[in-house]
Amino acid sequence: MQAGGRILFITMEARASQNAGRVMDGPTNPMVTPLLTDLYQFTMAYAYWKAGKHNERAVFDLYFRKNPFGGEFTVFAGLEECIKLIANFKLTEEEVSFIHKSLPGSCEEGFLNYLREIDCSDVEVYAISEGTVVFPKVPLLRLEGPVAVVQLLETPVLNLVNFASLVTTNAARHRLVAGQSKMLFEFGLRRAQGPDGAIGASKYCYIGGFDATSNVAAGRLFGIPLRGTHSHAFVSSFMSPDEILERSLCSSDGSSTCEDFVTLVHSWLSKIQWLKSLGGIFGETNQSELAAFISYALAFPNNFLALVDTYDVIRSGVPNFCAVALALSDLGYRAVGIRLDSGDLAYLSSEARKIFHTIEKELGVPGFGKMIITASNDLNEETLDAIRKQGHEVDCFGIGTYLVTCYAQAALGCVFKLVEINNQPRIKLSEDVSKVSIPCKKRCYRLYGKEGYSLVDIMTGENEPCPKVGERILCRHPFSESQRAYVVPKRVEELLKCYWPGKSGKVREELPALKDIRDHCIKQLEQMRPDHIRRLNPTPYKVSVSAKLYDFIHFLWLNEAPVGELQ
Amino acid sequence: MQAGGRILFITMEARASQNAGRVMDGPTNPMVTPLLTDLYQFTMAYAYWKAGKHNERAVFDLYFRKNPFGGEFTVFAGLEECIKLIANFKLTEEEVSFIHKSLPGSCEEGFLNYLREIDCSDVEVYAISEGTVVFPKVPLLRLEGPVAVVQLLETPVLNLVNFASLVTTNAARHRLVAGQSKMLFEFGLRRAQGPDGAIGASKYCYIGGFDATSNVAAGRLFGIPLRGTHSHAFVSSFMSPDEILERSLCSSDGSSTCEDFVTLVHSWLSKIQWLKSLGGIFGETNQSELAAFISYALAFPNNFLALVDTYDVIRSGVPNFCAVALALSDLGYRAVGIRLDSGDLAYLSSEARKIFHTIEKELGVPGFGKMIITASNDLNEETLDAIRKQGHEVDCFGIGTYLVTCYAQAALGCVFKLVEINNQPRIKLSEDVSKVSIPCKKRCYRLYGKEGYSLVDIMTGENEPCPKVGERILCRHPFSESQRAYVVPKRVEELLKCYWPGKSGKVREELPALKDIRDHCIKQLEQMRPDHIRRLNPTPYKVSVSAKLYDFIHFLWLNEAPVGELQ
């Protein structure tokens, strides 16, 4: 019962030996196995098998109904992990026997043999490219294959797409509000929803436009740039500079050695203390902080970045930082800057910048005014927006909790709906129109206008002709009769590509490198009309169906819906 | 860059061979390694090492400042995973070389040798038992050891405790509002924040009082009971009962075989259709639904539970269910019940119950009125509370998104603060009093009153005498001079126990089985005074310090705080 780690390791070994020579690596998290699914997928598989229906060809669409965070766009992510799951989808003997034990009641041995055999070699996966800006109702993924197998995939695929797309979208929103010129760091590991809640967030925030993470494991797994300096505990672990025993520091070019760096720092501290233009803003600075800064600088003379808010930013942290930075400058090193982790970030960053400029000017240290100011402390879209409006001097933002847990909306509601079985289109009705599914195996296109922006997405039946550049096409709202528009596209892009061809013989779309997914996402956002992606009152993007598909939906709807009786 | 899965597998292998013969299994998720930490823990480790401070003995407290979900209690969880991390904490050679590459600038080879050697053999971990009800400011964990090593543990330990405690608390809150008599199932896998956001949620919701999960992987890893039947897609994958080819069903006792179960169901359907007492509530039921129910019953005659809301609960789903259940009853099987996944759950469950009772009475089928009614569909604390007040007939609730993502508050803010180094107490000040840390290595006690409820938690210095039963003790609010009370405890419980003794020679507290943690949690909640755990306007539980610790905190505070200047 408590042997979670060991059970998983046994599975990992079994799976690895099974997967030797396979097309691609497994999912990043080895916990992603065919058992990472709802029990009902297996009970249904048994019922399909008993009914002889398990190999009936089914088509499922994965889509969401509403954009998150009150916005009008979403960034699709999680595809690579889905394909890795599908490429390696195979139950181990031990997993089959666990399912055997877990099914309610007994099951026939033939079903277990069936489970032993299944994989995704007969499943086809069509998907929108990872990192693409997407909209409600349009399938992000379309899975076709034997109904029992595709149902087993429903839960893990939803799990892998839902949070990935949510947190990528959240990162993109933070990037939009921070502006392109700022550096954004993801610092959420400690507050994330579990270990790979954190690792996933690091990966997907990078795709969404963040520049780096503090999460070493994510840096190693995905090659994301890493950032980090020191914490408040580091500062308070020191008492005073007296405890620093090894005080020598070689100059940057190796030509000389300063034997007592501590004394050099002290001399700079007195100099800036008496700078008239600083107006005597500080007297005695905190000595444990000074000791911590000196120690950190001795360890990283080329990368000195100090957390300056443990005691008092303006009266202690910034002066201590400046003294150490000036001493480093004497030896040919260039300090990086400061981090603020509390208080009024707009005000404190501006005050700190003034001090840096004063020092550059008064003491003639070129570039000192350009010290990098990093800010952290419970930042989110709202606070970024607020301090931007207030005016600030922050260069880099470190964002944690609100970013990685998607605090403003902790879940995206992707669903997975049957749209066709045995070539028969299926519709799922609901009293709530927004929950009615769009039936049929479909093709999806994005139509672009003359300014280069995308105008509308349109879904058509599988066999309808593709919309053509320069040709007028009627785009209809799928459920509202009155909403429709003619569009003459300047460019037509087919959205769903084949990422896992099954036995179709189609060419498999390559999974791009993480960096390329990130570039694609950034470019996608640039191609959106700004009013669709703005924070306040964004304009909804139009998602439509062809006239033919519209008619078919409504024919099917009337056919399926029970006629009500008012009493 | 894209080789996440492979990198992790290599590490798993290296770690497994390294860990052979170790005290306990590693963490459930193999992604939990010493690299699952913030980069700054490694840059600080290097700075400590450079300063010769890395082995200074430090004490850190892990605690939170505010209960989540607007409540006045929290359930502590995640301890077992922390201890498994600590027990197996060792960097592989490949991880050391990654850190080498990742540190800004160069580092000395001696530091890499130091990294190769470190483990937690000299770290002591004291913790509150997993599943205990806990309150702000009281340390959940206290880690003592070489400062550089304990800092490396900060981030992963926070990650492992934060979400675990949050989601356990969320589950406990759902249990409190649903009442003890209901069954609660966790159905959140598809919407959780990543794969082990889901697996963690399944584990911790079970601890918090849930009865089962749909997550097969969690069932296998932790032995949690599994639940699941079928989905809407299963229903709409059928067209009509005509497609059912294998129609025979052996009776429950094996004595006879019904050759055409489909016809038997049809005959029951016409019977109940004409039952006067049902007032002709339905005419033609949906045939694809009927086919799906019959197929499911043929696969699981002993465990027939049907999802009845694909078309119309009262006019199709429930009558179809009843016909199949009655046919099963003819053959000696007992159907389980229905699941509702949309609409007005209170109303629909009551209507369904009436139909079941009518059938029990009119058709003389004993027990038919007691069919289990399960409800799902975006349930949360509020909706559970609302339908309870409205009156309903639901026996089991399946809860997903809001439960597992902790939608109402997606993060718990546990922090990890240095409280002592080299036997010197440390305090972290802040302009916000709630953020001031409580210094010193402390002992923590829970004092119980004569009615068996816990009255107050009190923290004392490490060497103060333990509060004694029947002896009056002054409990002071840590920061507010006027808030204090004398307490005469009827029972005194020491909260922090030694879960990892390091080199102290103390006895290591065993990690209990998951079931025992769950029982402990349930018992803990029973021991709380009801007003502390109620949903609306709960009474804050008192957390205090001894008079001696109070004086010491304020002495240290005055010593450290800069004297302000008003200008």
Side-chain angles (χ1 to χ4, degrees):
Chain A
M1 189 115 154
Q2 294 298 294
R6 190 166 301 271
I7 284 182
L8 201 65
F9 188 72
I10 293 166
T11 305
M12 284 277 294
E13 278 193 318
R15 186 153 281 121
S17 78
Q18 191 179 67
N19 290 352
R22 277 186 169 254
V23 191
M24 65 177 85
D25 289 341
T28 302
N29 186 345
M31 300 172 99
V32 179
T33 72
L35 292 200
L36 189 73
T37 198
D38 291 311
L39 183 66
Y40 80 1
Q41 311 290 9
F42 283 107
T43 54
M44 285 192 280
Y46 184 57
Y48 283 133
W49 182 85
K50 276 285 284 179
K53 272 177 77 79
H54 52 293
N55 282 327
E56 287 186 3
R57 195 107 192 134
V59 182
F60 284 83
D61 281 352
L62 185 152
Y63 61 96
F64 59 92
R65 295 174 181 134
K66 197 172 180 318
N67 290 300
F69 311 117
E72 291 295 347
F73 76 98
T74 300
V75 181
F76 169 51
L79 174 60
E80 179 185 336
E81 297 293 333
C82 291
I83 299 298
K84 287 179 165 180
L85 165 74
I86 286 164
N88 295 283
F89 191 90
K90 188 85 190 154
L91 288 154
T92 65
E93 188 52 38
E94 198 269 328
E95 289 170 340
V96 170
S97 83
F98 182 75
I99 294 159
H100 187 191
K101 280 193 306 187
S102 303
L103 287 179
S106 57
C107 80
E108 293 174 31
E109 183 62 29
F111 177 63
L112 302 177
N113 287 333
Y114 165 70
L115 288 181
R116 286 181 186 105
E117 278 161 23
I118 51 174
D119 58 27
C120 293
S121 58
D122 196 19
V123 173
E124 292 167 53
V125 181
Y126 298 81
I128 297 182
S129 313
E130 190 156 6
T132 300
V133 174
V134 291
F135 305 98
K137 299 190 200 83
V138 178
L140 310 178
L141 282 162
R142 182 178 81 208
L143 270 66
E144 314 177 21
V147 64
V149 175
V150 179
Q151 288 257 259
L152 288 176
L153 295 171
E154 171 179 17
T155 321
V157 162
L158 281 170
N159 177 280
L160 292 170
V161 169
N162 262 324
F163 179 57
S165 300
L166 183 72
V167 72
T168 306
T169 307
N170 204 20
R173 295 180 63 87
H174 281 76
R175 164 56 75 195
L176 289 170
V177 67
Q180 297 306 322
S181 64
K182 302 298 170 191
M183 294 285 280
L184 295 181
F185 307 143
E186 175 272 310
F187 283 174
L189 171 50
R190 63 188 60 197
R191 299 282 169 81
Q193 297 203 350
D196 79 356
I199 290 174
S202 301
K203 173 178 174 176
Y204 296 113
C205 289
Y206 185 66
I207 291 180
F210 272 57
D211 298 291
T213 177
S214 67
N215 181 339
V216 183
R220 173 147 164 278
L221 286 167
F222 310 118
I224 303 170
L226 289 168
R227 289 301 163 94
T229 54
H230 67 83
S231 69
H232 294 118
F234 181 81
V235 172
S236 49
S237 77
F238 288 82
M239 300 289 163
S240 96
D242 298 344
E243 67 188 287
I244 300 174
L245 302 177
E246 178 51 52
R247 297 169 164 228
S248 71
L249 181 62
C250 188
S251 67
S252 172
D253 59 6
S255 66
S256 64
T257 296
C258 164
E259 291 304 331
D260 190 348
F261 187 70
V262 176
T263 301
L264 181 62
V265 170
H266 274 298
S267 72
W268 274 113
L269 193 58
S270 356
K271 265 183 223 164
I272 53 177
Q273 218 155 14
W274 300 111
L275 274 185
K276 276 226 178 77
S277 44
L278 291 182
I281 50 166
F282 65 97
E284 177 90 12
T285 62
N286 186 289
Q287 293 302 293
S288 84
E289 181 177 70
L290 186 62
F293 289 2
I294 294 171
S295 296
Y296 197 79
L298 288 169
F300 297 105
N302 269 311
N303 287 279
F304 177 57
L305 198 154
L307 174 64
V308 293
D309 69 337
T310 307
Y311 299 100
D312 187 303
V313 172
I314 301 302
R315 288 188 293 164
S316 182
V318 170
N320 278 337
F321 164 79
C322 291
V324 176
L326 288 163
L328 283 171
S329 174
D330 278 352
L331 300 175
Y333 297 102
R334 196 166 173 146
V336 174
I338 59 168
R339 178 161 73 96
L340 300 167
D341 190 40
S342 59
D344 180 338
L345 300 174
Y347 169 77
L348 291 172
S349 66
S350 304
E351 291 301 300
R353 181 71 70 210
K354 278 186 214 157
I355 298 174
F356 297 152
H357 278 308
T358 302
I359 286 176
E360 169 160 0
K361 211 172 124 196
E362 302 269 321
L363 299 174
V365 191
F368 206 95
K370 293 206 172 62
M371 286 292 167
I372 288 174
I373 301 178
T374 300
S376 47
N377 188 30
D378 284 351
L379 294 171
N380 58 24
E381 262 193 85
E382 280 68 36
T383 49
L384 285 180
D385 196 41
I387 76 166
R388 192 173 52 84
K389 285 173 181 154
Q390 201 181 333
H392 66 86
E393 286 289 338
V394 176
D395 304 292
C396 311
F397 292 101
I399 312 181
T401 312
Y402 293 96
L403 175 69
V404 302
T405 65
C406 299
Y407 205 90
Q409 180 183 325
L412 181 65
C414 281
V415 294
F416 192 81
K417 295 290 171 196
L418 180 71
V419 294
E420 194 176 296
I421 187 161
N422 282 335
N423 298 313
Q424 296 292 316
R426 301 305 277 159
I427 191 169
K428 164 81 182 76
L429 300 182
S430 170
E431 289 179 23
D432 178 353
V433 174
S434 74
K435 286 194 168 185
V436 174
S437 68
I438 298 181
C440 306
K441 185 163 157 179
K442 298 175 285 290
R443 287 178 181 267
C444 306
Y445 305 92
R446 183 157 296 173
L447 309 184
Y448 291 83
K450 56 178 186 286
E451 281 160 8
Y453 293 129
S454 55
L455 295 176
V456 63
D457 285 3
I458 184 167
M459 293 176 264
T460 73
E462 175 74 356
N463 298 317
E464 288 186 59
C466 171
K468 288 191 184 57
V469 170
E471 274 185 22
R472 201 173 77 147
I473 181 167
L474 181 62
C475 298
R476 299 201 62 160
H477 185 288
F479 306 123
S480 158
E481 205 178 350
S482 60
Q483 290 182 54
R484 59 220 160 130
Y486 282 109
V487 174
V488 181
K490 288 283 166 293
R491 182 156 76 87
V492 174
E493 178 186 19
E494 178 149 20
L495 291 172
L496 291 171
K497 294 172 190 162
C498 179
Y499 280 91
W500 188 252
K503 293 176 176 160
S504 68
K506 289 186 186 142
V507 176
R508 175 159 71 86
E509 199 72 27
E510 284 300 316
L511 294 172
L514 185 62
K515 187 74 173 58
D516 296 331
I517 300 173
R518 180 175 189 270
D519 291 346
H520 176 62
C521 172
I522 291 168
K523 206 173 151 201
Q524 279 274 311
L525 289 163
E526 286 166 3
Q527 282 177 359
M528 291 303 302
R529 223 174 57 202
D531 59 313
H532 293 309
I533 55 174
R534 71 181 170 213
R535 232 174 83 73
L536 279 181
N537 300 322
T539 316
Y541 181 85
K542 285 190 177 57
V543 170
S544 66
V545 296
S546 66
K548 202 168 163 187
L549 184 54
Y550 178 89
D551 291 340
F552 188 72
I553 293 170
H554 292 264
F555 162 76
L556 218 60
W557 193 337
L558 282 176
N559 246 9
E560 292 273 349
V563 182
E565 270 178 53
L566 292 177
Q567 291 176 327
Chain B
M1 190 115 154
Q2 295 298 293
R6 191 166 300 274
I7 284 182
L8 201 65
F9 188 73
I10 293 165
T11 305
M12 284 277 295
E13 277 193 318
R15 185 153 283 119
S17 78
Q18 188 181 69
N19 290 353
R22 278 187 171 254
V23 191
M24 64 177 85
D25 288 341
T28 300
N29 187 344
M31 300 171 100
V32 179
T33 71
L35 292 200
L36 190 73
T37 199
D38 291 310
L39 182 66
Y40 79 2
Q41 311 292 7
F42 282 108
T43 53
M44 285 192 280
Y46 183 57
Y48 284 132
W49 182 84
K50 276 285 284 180
K53 271 177 78 81
H54 51 294
N55 282 326
E56 287 187 4
R57 195 111 191 130
V59 183
F60 284 82
D61 282 352
L62 184 152
Y63 61 96
F64 60 91
R65 295 174 180 134
K66 198 171 178 321
N67 290 299
F69 310 118
E72 291 294 346
F73 76 97
T74 300
V75 181
F76 169 51
L79 175 60
E80 180 184 335
E81 297 292 333
C82 291
I83 300 298
K84 286 178 164 181
L85 164 75
I86 287 164
N88 294 284
F89 191 91
K90 187 86 189 154
L91 289 154
T92 65
E93 187 54 36
E94 197 270 327
E95 289 169 341
V96 171
S97 84
F98 182 75
I99 294 159
H100 187 190
K101 280 193 304 187
S102 303
L103 288 178
S106 58
C107 80
E108 293 174 30
E109 183 62 30
F111 176 64
L112 302 177
N113 286 332
Y114 165 71
L115 289 181
R116 286 181 185 105
E117 279 162 23
I118 52 173
D119 59 25
C120 292
S121 59
D122 196 19
V123 173
E124 293 167 51
V125 180
Y126 298 81
I128 296 181
S129 312
E130 190 155 5
T132 300
V133 174
V134 291
F135 305 98
K137 300 192 200 83
V138 178
L140 310 177
L141 282 161
R142 182 177 79 210
L143 270 66
E144 313 176 21
V147 64
V149 176
V150 179
Q151 288 257 259
L152 288 175
L153 295 171
E154 171 180 16
T155 320
V157 162
L158 281 170
N159 177 279
L160 293 169
V161 168
N162 262 323
F163 179 58
S165 300
L166 183 72
V167 73
T168 306
T169 307
N170 203 21
R173 295 180 63 87
H174 281 76
R175 166 56 74 195
L176 289 169
V177 68
Q180 297 305 322
S181 66
K182 302 299 171 192
M183 295 286 279
L184 294 182
F185 307 143
E186 174 271 310
F187 283 174
L189 170 51
R190 64 188 59 198
R191 300 281 170 82
Q193 298 202 350
D196 80 355
I199 291 174
S202 301
K203 173 178 174 176
Y204 295 113
C205 288
Y206 185 66
I207 291 180
F210 271 57
D211 297 292
T213 178
S214 66
N215 181 340
V216 182
R220 172 148 165 277
L221 286 167
F222 309 118
I224 304 170
L226 288 170
R227 289 302 164 93
T229 55
H230 68 81
S231 68
H232 294 118
F234 182 80
V235 172
S236 49
S237 78
F238 288 83
M239 300 289 166
S240 96
D242 299 342
E243 67 187 286
I244 301 176
L245 301 178
E246 178 50 52
R247 297 168 164 229
S248 71
L249 182 61
C250 187
S251 68
S252 171
D253 60 7
S255 65
S256 64
T257 297
C258 164
E259 292 303 332
D260 190 348
F261 186 71
V262 176
T263 301
L264 181 62
V265 171
H266 274 299
S267 71
W268 275 113
L269 194 58
S270 357
K271 266 184 224 163
I272 52 177
Q273 220 154 10
W274 299 110
L275 272 186
K276 278 226 179 75
S277 44
L278 291 183
I281 50 167
F282 66 96
E284 177 91 12
T285 61
N286 185 289
Q287 293 302 293
S288 84
E289 181 178 71
L290 186 63
F293 289 1
I294 293 172
S295 296
Y296 198 79
L298 287 169
F300 298 105
N302 270 310
N303 286 278
F304 177 57
L305 198 153
L307 175 64
V308 293
D309 70 337
T310 307
Y311 299 101
D312 186 305
V313 172
I314 301 303
R315 289 188 291 164
S316 182
V318 169
N320 277 338
F321 165 79
C322 290
V324 177
L326 287 162
L328 284 172
S329 173
D330 277 353
L331 301 175
Y333 297 103
R334 196 167 175 148
V336 175
I338 59 169
R339 178 160 73 96
L340 300 167
D341 190 39
S342 58
D344 180 338
L345 300 173
Y347 169 77
L348 291 172
S349 65
S350 304
E351 289 301 301
R353 180 70 70 209
K354 276 186 215 156
I355 298 174
F356 296 152
H357 279 307
T358 302
I359 286 176
E360 169 159 0
K361 212 172 125 197
E362 302 270 322
L363 300 174
V365 192
F368 205 95
K370 293 205 171 62
M371 287 292 167
I372 288 173
I373 301 176
T374 301
S376 46
N377 188 30
D378 285 351
L379 293 170
N380 59 24
E381 263 193 83
E382 280 67 37
T383 49
L384 285 179
D385 196 41
I387 76 165
R388 191 173 52 85
K389 284 175 182 153
Q390 199 179 333
H392 67 85
E393 286 289 338
V394 177
D395 303 293
C396 311
F397 292 101
I399 312 180
T401 313
Y402 293 96
L403 175 69
V404 303
T405 65
C406 299
Y407 206 89
Q409 181 183 326
L412 181 66
C414 281
V415 294
F416 192 80
K417 294 290 170 194
L418 180 72
V419 294
E420 196 176 295
I421 187 160
N422 281 334
N423 298 313
Q424 298 291 315
R426 302 304 277 159
I427 191 169
K428 164 80 181 78
L429 300 181
S430 169
E431 287 179 25
D432 178 353
V433 173
S434 73
K435 287 194 168 185
V436 174
S437 68
I438 299 181
C440 304
K441 185 163 158 179
K442 298 175 285 291
R443 286 178 182 268
C444 306
Y445 304 92
R446 183 157 295 173
L447 309 184
Y448 290 83
K450 55 179 185 288
E451 281 160 7
Y453 293 130
S454 55
L455 296 177
V456 63
D457 285 4
I458 183 167
M459 293 175 264
T460 73
E462 173 74 356
N463 297 317
E464 287 186 59
C466 172
K468 289 194 183 55
V469 169
E471 273 185 23
R472 201 173 78 148
I473 180 168
L474 182 61
C475 298
R476 300 201 62 161
H477 185 290
F479 306 123
S480 159
E481 204 178 350
S482 60
Q483 290 182 55
R484 57 218 159 130
Y486 282 108
V487 174
V488 181
K490 289 285 166 290
R491 183 156 77 86
V492 174
E493 179 186 17
E494 178 148 21
L495 290 172
L496 291 171
K497 294 172 191 164
C498 180
Y499 280 90
W500 189 253
K503 293 176 175 160
S504 69
K506 287 186 186 141
V507 176
R508 174 159 71 86
E509 199 72 28
E510 284 300 317
L511 293 172
L514 186 62
K515 187 73 174 57
D516 296 332
I517 299 174
R518 181 175 187 270
D519 292 345
H520 175 63
C521 172
I522 292 168
K523 205 172 151 200
Q524 279 273 312
L525 288 164
E526 287 167 3
Q527 281 177 1
M528 290 304 302
R529 223 173 59 201
D531 60 313
H532 293 309
I533 56 173
R534 73 181 169 212
R535 232 174 83 73
L536 280 181
N537 300 322
T539 317
Y541 181 85
K542 286 190 177 58
V543 170
S544 67
V545 296
S546 66
K548 203 167 162 187
L549 184 55
Y550 178 90
D551 291 340
F552 187 72
I553 293 168
H554 292 264
F555 161 77
L556 217 60
W557 193 338
L558 282 177
N559 247 9
E560 292 274 350
V563 182
E565 269 178 57
L566 293 176
Q567 290 177 329

